[in-house]
C-alpha cells in the first residue's frame, strides 16, 4: 500500500494551500480530486478559460496558485474519487478510471469544498432548470452559455458574478432577486466588519455596477417563484409577475459539502447564520478525529481567500503534528494565513445576514418535490415526520429519500428542515443523516480487483 | 440548451451523442456534450419516468446519469469528453433510451 505523510482530498484553494505548505516543510503529500484539473469550483478549468474575457478577471488570481501547487512536489491524482475513508487507520480507498487503490496517510485533510444549497421550488425538476453554479461550470469548462431566454433567480454574491459573466459572454440573463432582508437590517444584525471588509465590499459593488452597465435587467423582491412547462421549463412565474424562459438558473447560496465528514462521524455544529451544518474545527482545521482536519468551505462558507488561508494553516498544522515544524516555526508561519483569513471573513457576517435563505426555500410547500432521486414531495415528508419518522435515517425506511443515487447530498438539508418544522423542534435537534460508503458508486469489478490480493488462498 | 462560443474555445473534440456526431469544446464534460447537442432532457427519472436534465454539473445531484461508452449509470458531468466517446440518454434506473 502506498504511504504518505499527508493525504489531501480536494484540489481547490484549501487543498492546494495545504499541499504547498506541507511540501515546503518536507512532508510527502498526495492530493486527489474528482475533477480533471486543479482549482476547485472557483478556479475550475482555470488553465483552459484563463484567457476567455467572460471569466478571466475572476480566474486570474487562481493561476499563480495553481502554478505553485503543480510545482510543489505533491503527488497529484486528478479524476480520482474517494469512496471510503478509515479515519482511525488513515486508509483511503480510491477509484480512478475503474481501478481501485488504497493509500495510507499519517494525516488527512478534507478540502471537499461546498455545494449549492438546494432550491426546491415548484417545477425545479423540469429539464432546463439548473443551479447557477452549473451555468458557470458550462462557461468555465466549455466556454458555453445558455441559448435563448435565461432567467437567473435567487440571491447572493454568485448571482451578481454569474450575471456579469454571462453578460460579458453575450448572454445577459434576467435577474430575479429573492432577497428578503434589507441592507439596513443586515447591517444592524452583522454589527461591524464593513470597514475591515471594505475591499470585498468594493468588489461586490463593482460587480453590481458592471451588471447594470452591461444591461442586465433586475426584478427585486421576487416571492413565490415557480417553474412551469410541459416536459421542460418554458416559463417562470412569481407573485405579480412572469416571464418566458428557456433556462432557469437558481441560487440561494452555498453550504459545506459534509458527505465525507458526516460519513466518518466527525462532530458537526449547526451554523444558524448560514442555516447549515459544519464540522467542528479548531483554528487550524483539526476535528474531533485525531488524524483528520477539514479546511476551506467544507468547514464553513468563507469564500476562496479564506479557504486558501485555512488550507495553508491545515498544512502547517500537519507539519507540526508530524514533527517537521517546531512550535516557534509554526507560530511564525501561521501568522500570515491567520491574518489573511481574518481579512477574508470580515464581510461574511454582513453577507450571511443580507442573503439569509427565505423560509420557503428551506422548507418548501407540500406539493413541491424535495427528494429528486426518489421523487418525494415535501408534503409526504411532513406526514411521515408526524407519524414517527424522527430523523433522516428513519425517513429512508418510510419514503426512501436519501437512498437514491445522490445518497442525500441534495435532499438532506431539506428533509431535515421539514422534519424540524413538522415536529416543532429546532433544526439542530434533528439527528443527522449518516452517509455510508461507498461515498460514490463503484463497480463491483473495481471492488473485486482491490479485494483480490487479500482473498488469495482463501478458497 | 446551451451554445458554444468558438471565439473563446476554438479547440473541439468529436463525440457521439445519441449516435449523432457533435463537436464539443475540449475539456467539456459528457453532460455538457449532451446539452450542447441540443438535448434538454438527458434522462428519465427512475420512479415516474419524468424527463430530467443535469442540475448541478458538479457531481452532487446525479440527475446527469447516462450511458457512456457502454457503461450505464455514470455521472456524465464528472466525465470529460474524449474523441469518439459514445454518450446515450438513460431511462429509469439504468436502461439506455434508444
Ligand atoms: S449534474 Fe448533478 S451530478 Fe451531474
Amino acid at each position: 500500500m502506498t504511504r504518505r505523510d499527508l493525504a489531501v482530498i480536494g484540489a481547490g484553494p484549501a487543498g492546494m494551500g495545504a499541499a504547498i505548505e506541507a511540501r515546503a516543510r518536507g512532508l510527502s503529500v498526495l492530493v486527489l480530486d474528482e475533477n480533471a484539473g486543479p482549482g476547485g469550483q472557483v478556479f475550475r478549468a482555470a488553465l483552459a478559460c484563463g484567457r476567455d474575457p467572460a471569466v478571466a478577471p475572476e480566474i486570474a488570481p487562481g493561476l499563480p496558485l495553481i502554478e505553485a501547487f503543480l510545482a510543489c512536489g505533491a503527488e497529484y491524482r486528478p479524476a480520482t474519487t474517494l469512496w471510503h475513508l478509515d479515519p482511525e487507520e488513515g486508509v483511503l480507498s480510491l477509484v480512478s478510471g475503474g481501478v481501485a487503490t488504497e493509500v495510507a496517510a499519517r494525516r488527512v485533510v478534507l478540502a471537499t469544498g461546498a455545494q449549492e444549497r438546494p432550491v426546491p421550488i415548484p417545477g425545479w425538476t423540469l429539464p432546463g432548470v439548473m443551479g447557477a453554479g452549473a451555468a458557470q461550470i458550462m462557461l468555465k469548462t466549455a466556454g458555453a452559455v445558455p441559448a435563448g431566454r435565461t432567467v437567473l433567480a435567487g440571491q447572493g454574491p454568485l448571482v451578481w458574478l454569474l450575471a456579469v459573466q454571462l453578460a460579458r459572454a453575450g448572454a445577459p440573463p434576467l435577474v430575479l432577486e429573492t432577497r428578503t432582508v434589507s441592507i439596513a437590517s443586515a447591517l444592524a444584525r452583522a454589527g461591524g466588519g464593513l470597514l475591515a471588509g471594505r475591499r470585498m465590499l468594493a468588489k461586490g459593488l463593482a460587480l453590481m455596477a458592471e451588471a447594470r452597465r452591461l444591461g442586465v435587467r433586475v426584478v427585486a423582491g421576487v416571492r413565490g417563484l415557480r417553474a412551469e412547462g410541459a416536459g421542460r421549463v418554458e416559463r417562470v412565474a412569481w407573485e405579480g409577475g412572469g416571464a418566458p424562459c428557456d433556462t432557469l438558473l437558481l441560487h440561494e447560496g452555498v453550504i459545506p459539502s459534509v458527505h465525507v465528514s458526516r460519513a466518518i462521524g466527525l462532530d458537526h455544529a449547526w451554523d444558524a447564520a448560514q442555516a447549515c451544518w459544519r464540522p467542528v474545527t479548531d483554528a487550524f482545521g483539526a476535528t474531533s478525529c485525531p488524524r483528520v482536519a477539514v479546511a476551506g468551505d467544507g468547514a464553513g462558507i468563507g469564500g476562496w481567500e479564506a479557504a486558501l488561508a485555512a488550507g495553508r494553516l491545515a498544512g502547517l498544522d500537519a507539519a507540526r503534528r508530524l514533527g517537521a515544524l517546531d512550535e516557534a516555526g509554526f507560530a511564525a508561519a501561521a501568522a500570515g494565513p491567520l491574518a489573511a483569513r481574518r481579512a477574508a471573513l470580515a464581510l461574511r457576517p454582513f453577507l450571511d445576514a443580507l442573503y439569509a435563505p427565505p423560509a420557503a426555500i428551506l422548507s418548501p410547500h407540500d406539493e413541491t418535490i424535495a427528494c429528486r432521486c426518489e421523487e418525494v414531495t415535501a408534503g409526504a415528508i411532513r406526514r411521515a415526520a408526524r407519524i414517527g419518522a424522527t430523523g433522516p435515517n428513519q425517513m429512508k425506511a418510510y419514503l426512501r429519500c436519501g437512498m437514491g443515487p445522490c445518497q442525500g447530498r441534495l435532499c438532506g438539508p431539506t428533509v431535515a428542515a421539514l422534519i424540524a418544522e413538522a415536529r416543532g423542534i429546532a433544526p439542530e435537534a434533528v439527528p443527522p443523516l449518516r452517509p455510508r460508503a461507498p461515498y460514490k458508486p463503484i463497480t463491483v469489478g473495481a471492488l473485486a480487483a482491490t479485494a483480490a490480493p487479500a482473498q488469495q488462498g482463501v478458497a | 440548451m446551451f451554445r458554444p462560443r468558438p471565439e473563446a474555445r476554438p479547440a473541439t473534440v468529436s463525440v457521439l451523442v445519441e449516435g449523432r456526431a457533435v463537436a464539443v469544446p475540449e475539456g467539456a464534460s459528457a453532460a455538457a456534450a449532451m446539452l450542447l447537442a441540443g438535448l434538454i432532457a438527458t434522462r428519465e427519472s427512475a420512479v415516474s419516468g419524468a424527463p430530467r436534465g443535469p442540475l448541478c454539473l458538479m457531481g452532487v445531484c446525479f440527475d446527469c446519469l447516462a450511458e457512456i461508452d457502454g457503461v450505464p449509470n455514470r455521472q456524465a458531468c464528472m466525465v470529460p469528453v474524449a474523441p469518439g466517446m459514445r454518450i446515450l440518454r438513460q431511462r429509469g434506473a439504468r436502461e439506455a433510451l434508444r
Side-chain angles (χ1 to χ4, degrees):
Chain A
M1 193 184 312
T2 312
R3 292 179 190 280
R4 292 287 179 271
D5 292 325
L6 175 67
V8 180
I9 325 299
M16 291 191 287
I20 290 168
E21 294 297 341
R23 279 298 305 144
R25 273 80 198 171
L27 300 192
S28 61
V29 179
L30 167 71
V31 180
L32 57 106
D33 190 291
E34 254 195 302
N35 294 293
Q41 298 302 337
V42 62
F43 302 128
R44 181 187 276 271
L47 302 175
C49 70
R51 274 191 300 277
D52 180 349
V55 295
E58 290 76 33
I59 290 292
L63 295 172
L65 175 60
I66 290 171
E67 203 179 314
F69 166 65
L70 293 175
C72 79
E75 182 195 347
Y76 166 51
R77 292 196 201 168
T80 300
T81 303
L82 175 80
W83 65 266
H84 181 251
L85 170 61
D86 178 339
E88 270 74 50
E89 301 298 321
V91 175
L92 294 82
S93 303
L94 312 174
V95 62
S96 182
V99 179
T101 50
E102 290 195 329
V103 175
R106 295 168 72 195
R107 189 149 185 87
V108 176
V109 172
L110 294 179
T112 48
Q115 63 181 65
E116 286 188 285
R117 186 189 298 283
V119 189
I121 60 163
W124 74 311
T125 52
L126 288 171
V129 180
M130 306 175 89
Q136 205 188 33
I137 288 168
M138 288 296 288
L139 192 53
K140 289 177 180 172
T141 58
V145 291
R149 293 154 302 191
T150 306
V151 177
L152 172 54
Q155 58 174 344
L158 182 65
V159 168
W160 293 104
L161 175 58
L162 182 64
V164 163
Q165 291 176 332
L166 289 176
R168 287 179 193 150
L174 166 65
V175 172
L176 305 178
E177 211 196 7
T178 59
R179 179 163 62 87
T180 54
V181 178
S182 74
I183 293 179
S185 75
L187 280 174
R189 254 187 278 169
L194 279 200
L195 192 63
R198 62 190 179 280
R199 185 176 58 88
M200 295 233 169
L201 191 62
K203 268 198 215 168
L205 292 172
L207 267 183
M208 291 163 89
E210 188 178 353
R212 268 189 291 276
R213 216 168 41 245
L214 293 171
V216 171
R217 279 205 305 133
V218 180
V219 180
V222 166
R223 305 269 178 285
L225 185 72
R226 53 195 302 128
E228 297 170 347
R232 56 166 300 179
V233 62
E234 293 165 330
R235 201 184 130 75
V236 291
W238 62 93
E239 282 172 26
C245 174
D246 299 301
T247 303
L248 172 60
L249 305 172
L250 300 170
H251 186 73
E252 288 287 343
V254 296
I255 56 176
S257 288
V258 294
H259 200 75
V260 177
S261 60
R262 278 292 191 198
I264 62 171
L266 298 185
D267 286 349
H268 286 65
W270 178 253
D271 183 331
Q274 298 183 345
C276 62
W277 290 95
R278 55 158 89 187
V280 177
T281 62
D282 74 3
F284 313 113
T287 67
S288 56
C289 170
R291 192 189 294 269
V292 178
V294 184
D297 276 355
I301 303 306
W304 77 265
E305 290 176 77
L308 172 59
R312 287 189 186 280
L313 292 168
L316 291 168
D317 194 39
R320 172 173 64 167
R321 286 167 185 264
L322 301 181
L325 188 60
D326 63 18
E327 285 300 329
F330 176 79
L338 281 171
R341 183 169 58 183
R342 246 190 329 274
L345 291 177
L347 198 59
R348 194 47 54 177
F350 171 69
L351 293 176
D352 289 346
L354 186 63
Y355 296 128
I361 292 301
L362 298 176
S363 50
H365 295 301
D366 274 350
E367 64 284 3
T368 304
I369 287 187
C371 162
R372 295 171 64 97
C373 294
E374 298 294 331
E375 307 183 70
V376 182
T377 63
I381 293 168
R382 284 192 177 93
R383 280 192 297 282
R386 280 191 218 105
I387 63 169
T390 52
N393 298 305
Q394 291 74 16
M395 198 60 80
K396 285 182 176 180
Y398 279 77
L399 296 170
R400 288 192 54 82
C401 37
M403 295 179 75
C406 96
Q407 296 176 288
R409 282 176 173 82
L410 199 64
C411 61
T414 311
V415 169
L418 289 167
I419 293 172
E421 186 214 84
R423 297 182 56 211
I425 58 177
E428 60 268 36
V430 177
L433 182 70
R434 180 79 186 255
R436 309 265 165 205
Y439 309 147
K440 284 263 173 114
I442 172 173
T443 63
V444 175
L447 205 54
T450 350
Q455 295 293 316
Q456 266 164 23
V458 171
Chain B
M1 218 166 49
F2 281 72
R3 63 175 170 86
R5 290 160 54 244
E7 71 280 13
R9 300 297 282 277
T12 59
V13 170
S14 181
V15 298
L16 291 168
V17 176
E18 298 281 289
R20 193 161 61 82
V22 191
V24 298
E26 247 172 41
S29 67
M34 290 198 278
L35 293 170
L36 288 165
L39 298 188
I40 298 157
T42 57
R43 73 167 183 129
E44 287 179 357
S45 67
V47 179
S48 73
R52 285 284 176 88
L55 179 75
C56 73
L57 290 183
M58 54 178 281
V60 176
C61 72
F62 288 71
D63 257 325
C64 61
L65 291 178
E67 183 179 316
I68 299 174
D69 287 339
V71 182
N73 269 331
R74 298 199 61 192
Q75 265 183 310
C77 71
M78 301 304 289
V79 180
V81 290
M85 178 179 274
R86 289 166 293 122
I87 307 163
L88 291 175
R89 302 198 298 148
Q90 186 166 297
R91 172 185 295 137
R94 60 177 295 162
E95 191 188 340
L97 285 171
R98 284 179 215 202

